[in-house]
């Protein structure tokens, strides 16, 4: 018999009904709270952050300098250990080439593939991590599952604080006949630094990744407005449901281990402050965002956007964008003040106000807020 939450899509073929973030609405309670009494802080392992932000490891928005700026603003900047900053001593000419190409149309994916054909240089990984460490912020770099064993020694030798192992889809059990597969559980057990791993798309995968010993699990496939993962591979994850599934896995794993808490980090088309609030209300501890940060004046690509999978040498799964004008400094994008009413600046100041309007003082409490499905979004707000 099919499960209760499935629908029949044809004779004896069933699919589960999932919900995306824009189908979920937050319901205010009987209590409100002063916005100055609200905390958006969270902590993973020994590292505390003032805002629940983990940046996407996209070269379009994260350089060592912007990772430092994000850290100083209270979030966690994640540098791509397989990106431009570890392939080129000076990537600025590459950024200029991409910006010039974007003057008339979005840069072609073939140009991205060309500039990412330059090999990664392990000594540059160490130099970039040192630059971030010397600024006094928590350091984090991303490696893909395919290159973790190759690049991790350089990352760890440089003294990184958090290691992010991230691909479009990551599993705790990768079946291969080719040899040399990454065993996440064994790999994480041998490390002295906490690991964030993902992405996971459902309850079972999230639970398995938690059992590897990871400190955090990224939930969602990272799709943004320019993603072509659905068209290329037919994979699309309704994020509200995926977060709720992972939150259930977190609860069950907490019971299973007698108290070990693994953080859920939501990732996938989270582009406005309202989406951030909905993701946290569904059970996430933090969000991973990238595309909204391209509007910051400090974004290294000058408003052009691409995700790391857009440059894949054999199967790119994302597009590039024409540049957007700067909406303000990185601090304004994250913390305000906002000068527009589109939800794309003061992202975490808006989260504080949502929490205050619904009466919750911290993120753990906010995860218990009431949610409803349906209705139409409006452009007006009361209060």
């Amino acid at each position: 018999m099919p499960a209760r939450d499935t629908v029949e899509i044809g004779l004896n073929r069933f699919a589960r009904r999932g919900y995306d973030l824009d189908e979920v609405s937050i319901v205010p309670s009987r209590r409100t709270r002063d916005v100055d009494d609200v905390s958006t802080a969270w902590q993973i392992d020994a590292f505390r952050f003032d805002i629940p932000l983990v940046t996407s490891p996209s070269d379009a928005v994260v350089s060592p300098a912007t990772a430092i700026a994000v850290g100083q603003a209270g979030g966690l900047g994640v540098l791509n250990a397989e990106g431009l900053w570890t392939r080129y001593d000076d990537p600025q000419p590459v950024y200029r080439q991409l910006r010039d190409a974007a003057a008339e149309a979005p840069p072609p994916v073939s140009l991205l593939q060309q500039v990412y054909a330059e090999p990664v240089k392990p000594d540059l990984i160490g130099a970039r991590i040192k630059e971030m460490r010397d600024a006094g912020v928590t350091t984090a770099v991303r490696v893909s599952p395919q290159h973790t064993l190759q690049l991790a020694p350089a990352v760890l030798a440089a003294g990184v604080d958090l290691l992010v192992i991230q691909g479009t889809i990551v599993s705790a059990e990768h079946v291969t006949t080719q040899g040399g597969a990454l065993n996440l559980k064994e790999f994480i057990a041998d490390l002295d630094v906490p690991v964030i791993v993902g992405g996971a798309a459902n309850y079972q995968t999230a639970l398995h990744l938690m059992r590897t010993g990871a400190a955090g699990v990224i939930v969602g496939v990272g799709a943004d407005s320019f993603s072509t993962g659905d068209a290329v591979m037919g994979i699309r994850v309704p994020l509200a449901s995926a977060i709720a599934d992972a939150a259930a896995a977190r609860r069950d794993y907490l019971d299973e281990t007698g108290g070990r808490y693994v953080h859920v980090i939501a990732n996938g088309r989270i582009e406005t402050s309202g989406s951030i609030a909905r993701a946290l209300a569904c059970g996430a501890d933090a969000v991973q965002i990238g595309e909204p940060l391209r509007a910051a004046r400090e974004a290294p690509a000058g408003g052009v956007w691409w995700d790391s999978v857009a440059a894949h040498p054999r199967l790119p799964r994302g597009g590039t964008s024409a540049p957007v004008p700067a909406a303000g400094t990185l601090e304004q994008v994250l913390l305000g003040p906002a000068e527009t009413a589109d939800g794309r600046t003061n992202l975490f100041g808006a989260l504080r106000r949502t929490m205050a309007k619904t009466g919750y003082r911290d993120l753990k409490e906010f995860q218990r807020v009431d949610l409803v499905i349906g209705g139409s979004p409006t452009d007006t707000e009361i209060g």
Side-chain angles (χ1 to χ4, degrees):
M1 289 292 293
R4 287 185 304 169
D5 58 349
T6 59
V7 294
E8 188 172 14
I9 60 174
L11 288 176
N12 295 316
R13 187 60 170 141
F14 298 88
R16 182 183 171 198
R17 175 70 170 98
Y19 297 93
D20 226 327
L21 289 180
D22 60 4
E23 299 178 86
V24 175
S25 297
I26 295 169
V27 181
S29 66
R30 63 180 177 83
R31 178 187 294 114
T32 57
R33 190 177 295 273
D34 192 287
V35 71
D36 293 330
D37 294 334
V38 169
S39 171
T40 58
W42 73 297
Q43 183 165 330
I44 183 166
D45 202 83
F47 305 101
R48 183 185 184 278
F49 303 95
D50 292 333
I51 55 176
L53 165 66
V54 178
T55 68
S56 170
S58 166
D59 290 322
V61 295
V62 181
S63 65
T66 53
I68 291 168
V70 168
Q72 292 170 341
L76 176 64
V78 180
L79 186 72
N80 188 3
E82 301 170 33
L84 298 179
W85 292 90
T86 60
R87 296 174 189 265
Y88 297 90
D89 290 310
D90 179 12
Q92 294 302 337
V94 177
Y95 279 115
R96 282 195 295 271
Q97 184 180 7
L98 292 168
R99 287 194 296 266
D100 289 346
E104 297 181 1
V109 169
S110 59
L111 178 57
L112 281 182
Q113 292 173 316
Q114 175 187 325
V115 299
Y116 279 91
E118 181 74 14
V120 172
K121 301 174 178 62
D123 59 323
L124 283 178
I125 294 176
R128 304 311 185 196
I129 292 173
K130 182 179 185 301
E131 182 179 346
M132 295 186 291
R133 284 182 62 86
D134 288 349
V137 300
T138 302
T139 58
V141 298
R142 172 262 182 185
V143 292
S144 64
Q146 298 91 329
H147 298 118
T148 295
L149 295 177
Q150 173 191 354
L151 298 178
V155 172
L156 299 172
V160 74
D161 293 317
L162 287 158
L163 177 64
V164 180
I165 302 175
Q166 184 174 8
T168 302
I169 301 291
V170 175
S171 65
E173 180 182 0
H174 178 64
V175 179
T176 179
T177 59
Q178 305 304 311
L182 173 66
N183 183 314
L184 274 173
K185 190 169 186 177
E186 292 179 1
F187 178 80
I188 292 173
D190 291 335
L191 295 184
D192 293 326
V193 301
V195 176
I196 298 171
V197 62
N202 58 21
Y203 169 92
Q204 202 63 42
T205 304
L207 182 60
H208 282 189
L209 290 178
M210 291 172 187
R211 288 171 174 164
T212 66
V217 171
I218 299 169
V219 177
V221 298
D224 54 53
S225 299
F226 303 93
S227 171
T228 58
D230 189 9
V232 173
M233 297 192 299
I235 294 175
R236 183 176 69 244
V237 178
L239 191 55
S241 295
I243 296 169
D245 283 356
R250 178 184 61 205
R251 182 192 61 240
D252 291 346
Y253 182 67
L254 192 68
D255 293 340
E256 177 183 304
T257 58
R260 185 174 186 273
Y261 190 93
V262 179
H263 293 80
V264 171
I265 301 166
N267 176 33
R269 201 164 186 175
I270 301 173
E271 299 173 354
T272 64
S273 52
S275 295
I276 292 172
R278 292 186 183 99
L280 296 167
C282 288
D285 297 289
V287 294
Q288 185 174 54
I289 61 174
E291 190 271 339
L293 305 184
R294 69 183 176 128
R297 202 165 287 134
E298 299 92 331
V304 181
W305 168 254
W306 66 92
D307 195 9
S308 56
V309 294
H312 194 283
R314 294 180 301 278
L315 192 68
R317 298 180 299 281
T320 59
S321 78
V324 297
T329 64
L330 180 63
E331 183 175 358
Q332 284 179 286
V333 171
L334 296 179
L335 303 173
E339 297 178 355
T340 61
D342 57 3
R344 297 183 72 90
T345 52
N346 198 4
L347 297 173
F348 294 92
L351 171 64
R352 289 172 61 91
R353 189 164 294 274
T354 300
M355 293 169 64
K357 294 282 189 183
T358 53
Y360 295 94
R361 63 182 177 182
D362 59 38
L363 295 175
K364 285 296 173 199
E365 286 190 355
F366 184 61
Q367 289 173 345
R368 300 197 298 266
V369 70
D370 286 340
L371 299 172
V372 294
I373 297 295
S376 300
T378 63
D379 295 325
T380 61
E381 178 188 17
I382 300 174

